[in-house]
């Protein structure tokens, strides 16, 4: 391939598949770590007053994952650059943290470890927003609800740690 071929944005279908892959993987792995622990371990924890019912989390995460994937798609469709490479790297890092949180909190039954992961995840999400903003302001804005939800989840995680 010529250098000119690398200067073009990814084709739409390829960008869509590449945008969905890490998000779907994080969702599937996260659910695999979470679901078996809801009825037993998690149900027996003392939770803060603002803790939503379990049924809220599925629809919220589904909507957030759609926004996250679309934001990533927009970045993948942007012109290749050093800024885009950095944005993709930190995006993938925060998605790995997203998945890791479910394993830390639910699978390991360790709210303290969950706090450590979710604080790092929130920082990585904010960094992703900053880097996306330099490339595509809409992509950055699409991640704001994600950052807000994870901040709320961090509060819930810290409260569970403190209460138990």
């Amino acid at each position: 391939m010529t250098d000119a071929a690398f200067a073009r944005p990814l084709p739409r279908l390829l960008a869509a598949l590449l945008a969905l892959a890490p998000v779907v993987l994080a969702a599937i792995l996260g659910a695999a770590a979470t679901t078996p622990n809801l009825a037993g371990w998690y149900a027996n924890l003392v939770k803060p007053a603002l803790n939503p019912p379990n049924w809220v989390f599925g629809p919220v995460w589904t909507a957030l994952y759609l926004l996250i994937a679309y934001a990533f798609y927009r970045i993948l469709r942007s012109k290749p650059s050093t800024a885009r490479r950095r944005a993709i790297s930190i995006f993938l890092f925060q998605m790995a943290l997203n998945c890791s949180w479910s394993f830390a909190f639910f699978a390991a039954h360790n709210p303290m470890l969950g706090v450590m992961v979710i604080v790092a995840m929130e920082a990585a999400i904010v960094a992703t927003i900053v880097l996306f903003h330099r490339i595509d302001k809409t992509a950055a804005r699409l991640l704001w609800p994600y950052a807000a939800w994870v901040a709320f989840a961090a509060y819930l995680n810290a409260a569970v740690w403190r209460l138990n």
Side-chain angles (χ1 to χ4, degrees), residues 66-125:
L66 289 171
L67 293 172
I68 293 163
Y70 183 56
F72 191 39
Y73 168 82
R74 292 181 62 94
I75 296 303
L76 291 174
R77 288 281 297 151
S78 68
K79 184 178 178 189
S81 66
T82 301
R84 187 181 99 167
R85 265 192 311 279
R86 283 187 196 126
I88 290 170
S89 294
I90 195 71
F91 174 85
L92 293 173
F93 176 67
Q94 67 81 23
M95 286 308 300
L97 289 170
N98 176 301
C99 179
S100 297
W101 180 84
S102 297
F103 285 90
F105 185 88
F106 283 104
H109 300 177
N110 193 332
M112 181 185 71
L113 183 58
V115 168
M116 293 187 312
V117 172
I118 206 165
V119 167
M121 184 169 88
E122 182 70 16
I125 293 166

